[in-house]
Amino acid sequence: MSSINSFFELFLDVWQSGIFGINASQIIIGFIIFLIFYVLRRLFARFIIGRLNKIVLKSKTSLDDTIVDVIEGPLKFLPVVIGFFIASSYVDLTNQIQNFVDLINRTLITIFIFWLIHQLIVPFAFLIKSFEQKLTTALVDWTLKGLKILVIILGIVAILELWG
C-alpha cells in the first residue's frame, strides 16, 4: 500500500514539474490549442478565400482572381503560426526556453511573410508579361524565376539572421 502511495506522490510530482519544469497540464492544454488551430486551418482558409472570391467576382480583371488563388497556401499556414504563438504564450516557460520559442515564432512568421511574397510573384507576372513586346519571352521568364529565387534566398537569409 505504501508503494502505491509513493507511486501516486511521484506521479503528482512529475505531473506538476513536468518537462523542463513546465506543468504537464499546461503542456497538454498548449498542445490542444495548437491542434485546434491546425485542424481549423483549412476551414479558415476556405472562409477567407470564399469571402475574397465573392469580392473579386465583381471585378472584370483576372489579376485579382490569380492573387486569391495563389495566397491560399499561405492562408492555410497562418492559423498554424497563430496557433503556435497562442499555445506557446499560454505555457509558462523558463527564460531560456522562452527565448528559443520566441525564435521559433519569429521563424514561422518570417516563413509566412516570404511565402506570401513568393506566391504574389505569380500575379506580378501579368505586369511583367506586358513587357514581352519590348523584351524577349525568355528574358521575361528568366526575370520571374530570378525574382522567385531572390525571395527564397532573402527568406533564408532572414531566418538565418534570426538564429544568429
Side-chain angles (χ1 to χ4, degrees):
M1 186 70 169
S2 67
S3 61
I4 292 176
N5 287 337
S6 63
F7 172 77
F8 186 68
E9 289 174 16
L10 180 63
F11 180 82
L12 286 177
D13 182 49
V14 170
W15 184 266
Q16 291 171 351
S17 63
I19 302 169
F20 300 117
I22 305 167
N23 190 325
S25 60
Q26 284 185 347
I27 293 172
I28 292 170
I29 291 172
F31 188 68
I32 290 171
I33 290 170
F34 176 74
L35 282 179
I36 289 171
F37 277 89
Y38 184 77
V39 169
L40 294 178
R41 79 187 197 290
R42 181 168 286 150
L43 182 66
F44 173 79
R46 283 187 186 164
F47 176 76
I48 298 294
I49 295 294
R51 294 280 180 164
L52 290 174
N53 277 330
K54 288 179 184 177
I55 294 170
V56 300
L57 283 176
K58 297 176 184 175
S59 71
K60 295 178 182 172
T61 64
S62 62
L63 179 64
D64 51 2
D65 298 331
T66 307
I67 291 173
V68 171
D69 290 340
V70 298
I71 65 171
E72 185 173 357
L75 280 180
K76 285 181 182 176
F77 185 63
L78 183 60
V80 174
V81 174
I82 294 170
F84 187 81
F85 176 78
I86 292 173
S88 64
S89 297
Y90 176 77
V91 179
D92 281 332
L93 302 170
T94 63
N95 285 340
Q96 185 178 9
I97 297 173
Q98 185 64 45
N99 291 338
F100 179 75
V101 170
D102 286 344
L103 282 173
I104 293 174
N105 278 321
R106 290 176 184 275
T107 301
L108 290 173
I109 292 169
T110 303
I111 290 170
F112 170 74
I113 290 169
F114 279 95
W115 186 11
L116 186 63
I117 292 169
H118 180 268
Q119 291 300 99
L120 289 175
I121 290 175
V122 174
F124 183 66
F126 285 114
L127 299 174
I128 292 179
K129 295 253 185 209
S130 65
F131 290 112
E132 276 187 344
Q133 298 166 351
K134 298 176 184 172
L135 304 171
T136 64
T137 304
L139 186 59
V140 170
D141 291 340
W142 182 85
T143 304
L144 291 174
K145 287 179 185 177
L147 280 173
K148 286 184 176 185
I149 291 171
L150 180 66
V151 168
I152 291 170
I153 290 171
L154 289 175
I156 291 170
V157 167
I159 291 170
L160 289 175
E161 181 186 350
L162 284 173
W163 289 89

